[in-house]
Amino acid sequence: MAVPIAVLDCDLLLYGRGHRTLDRFKLEDVTDEYLVSTYGFPRQFICYLVDLLGASLSRPTQRSRAISPETQVLAALGFYTSGSFQTRMGDAIGISQASMSRCVANVTEALVERAPRFIRFPEDEAAVRSLKDDFYALAGMPGVLGVVDCTHVAIKAPNAEDLSYVNRKGLHSLNCLMVCDARGALLSAETHWPGSMPDCTVLQQAALTSQFETELHKDGWLLGDSSFFLRTWLMTPLHIPETPAEYRYNMAHSATHNIIERTFRTIRSRFRCLDGSKGTLQYSPEKSSHIILACCVLHNISLQHGLDVWSAPAAGHVETAEEEYEQMESMDSEACRIRQELLLTHFS
């Protein structure tokens, strides 16, 4: 006699039907120390994220609607800060590994939707002035609106366009163009560029270039290293400094630009899914790009909440795929004139 077999949804077994929410884990039942050690952030920060993302995470069209926004946020933070879908992480909040994956996807998209709110250049005059003053206080470099650089994040080999994501070290990666302020808060983040693209090409095609050449401030500039060409809005170091003024300019430039490297290290330290210690991001380039951007949003939100001290060193291998480039001066005569005027006015 044949026995009928019922195919059951794993989430149905866990949560039941309808709009019931998961109640096996409650924030108020654990200490702040536990939350920081397991999910990377204290209770107040997690509650803020739940309030911020709650409406998006409760959409009735999502399969995971039975899982509370609180649990979805914890699941995503657990992945971002550990880089792993370990069973113990799901067990800690009472969900399966498959549900963990869906929670990460939901929270990632909710954070990406809010990226323009948290990652942007200041617009009002007072904020721009403050931005420049903060940079000037670092090493005496005037007129700086941000420091720009690229960093690579390793991803799995994509199914299509495989070679375009292979960087100079033979690894698959995304080349991410970022700008930060003097505190390390991100002002721009483009996380989708294929790893084979050199930094100068990324900048040439980036939305950032269009912004600065058509609409952003004309009375200041970004600082970039020698992998970029000198532009009227992008000051680079001198290839071969000869005068005392040129040496002082290069020293101030280097000390100021170093903030972006410290920012990259901080982001990787906090979000271990990006640092390579757990392997590459096991997603398509598009989804990997969104995860990186979501971590950038969380980085800025954490700075807004005063969580800007992060002393733990980055674990594991960090893929940066340094460029091999020929040091070349820009043929932009106006850019050369602006840099020379800067040398004479502030460093002579």
Side-chain angles (χ1 to χ4, degrees), residues 1-5:
M1 178 178 175
V3 178
I5 299 176

Side-chain angles (χ1 to χ4, degrees), residues 18-47:
H19 293 270
R20 288 175 54 195
T21 57
L22 186 66
D23 294 320
R24 291 176 59 182
F25 183 96
K26 292 183 179 298
L27 280 175
E28 58 268 25
D29 293 340
V30 295
T31 64
D32 246 19
E33 290 75 13
Y34 172 80
L35 292 172
V36 171
S37 65
T38 307
Y39 305 104
F41 294 96
R43 186 187 327 275
Q44 184 178 10
F45 182 87
I46 295 171
C47 289

Side-chain angles (χ1 to χ4, degrees), residues 280-294:
T280 61
L281 283 175
Q282 296 297 303
Y283 296 91
S284 68
E286 181 182 8
K287 289 184 178 179
S288 295
S289 170
H290 285 187
I291 288 172
I292 300 167
L293 185 55

Side-chain angles (χ1 to χ4, degrees), residues 99-161:
S99 296
M100 275 278 296
S101 181
R102 286 196 292 276
C103 290
V104 170
N106 293 342
V107 173
T108 295
E109 293 311 306
L111 287 168
V112 167
E113 287 175 4
R114 290 159 177 78
R117 170 180 168 184
F118 292 100
I119 302 176
R120 57 187 176 87
F121 284 90
E123 297 178 356
D124 66 274
E125 200 171 307
V128 172
R129 181 72 262 165
S130 177
L131 182 64
K132 292 180 180 179
D133 290 345
D134 289 345
F135 274 117
Y136 187 79
L138 291 177
M141 180 69 77
V144 180
L145 299 169
V147 289
V148 59
D149 208 348
C150 288
T151 187
H152 286 250
V153 175
I155 62 171
K156 73 171 184 178
N159 295 326
E161 298 184 79

Side-chain angles (χ1 to χ4, degrees), residues 204-265:
Q204 183 178 356
Q205 299 183 20
L208 178 70
T209 294
S210 177
Q211 284 180 311
F212 267 82
E213 291 186 346
T214 61
E215 47 185 89
L216 280 183
H217 319 284
K218 304 297 183 182
D219 57 344
W221 39 74
L222 301 179
L223 296 188
D225 63 22
S226 296
S227 62
F228 302 117
F229 285 110
L230 179 71
R231 299 169 184 254
T232 57
W233 50 269
L234 177 64
M235 294 292 104
T236 60
L238 290 137
H239 177 30
I240 304 177
E242 296 177 346
T243 68
E246 290 175 345
Y247 276 103
R248 285 192 288 269
Y249 167 84
N250 271 13
M251 290 177 63
H253 187 292
S254 176
T256 307
H257 187 266
N258 185 56
I259 191 69
I260 190 71
E261 296 299 333
R262 301 210 310 266
T263 298
F264 290 156
R265 289 195 295 270

Side-chain angles (χ1 to χ4, degrees), residues 310-324:
W310 192 260
S311 57
H317 173 70
V318 175
E319 171 53 35
T320 56
E322 293 184 8
E323 302 287 342
E324 294 177 12

Side-chain angles (χ1 to χ4, degrees), residues 300-342:
N300 274 13
I301 296 175
S302 70
L303 290 179
Q304 290 181 5
H305 282 72
L307 304 177
D308 53 355
V309 178
W310 192 260
S311 57
H317 173 70
V318 175
E319 171 53 35
T320 56
E322 293 184 8
E323 302 287 342
E324 294 177 12
Y325 51 82
E326 181 181 358
Q327 299 262 3
M328 296 179 64
E329 289 298 318
S330 172
M331 299 302 292
D332 186 334
S333 60
E334 179 63 12
C336 292
R337 185 196 66 76
I338 290 174
R339 186 170 65 180
Q340 188 61 30
E341 184 178 320
L342 181 60

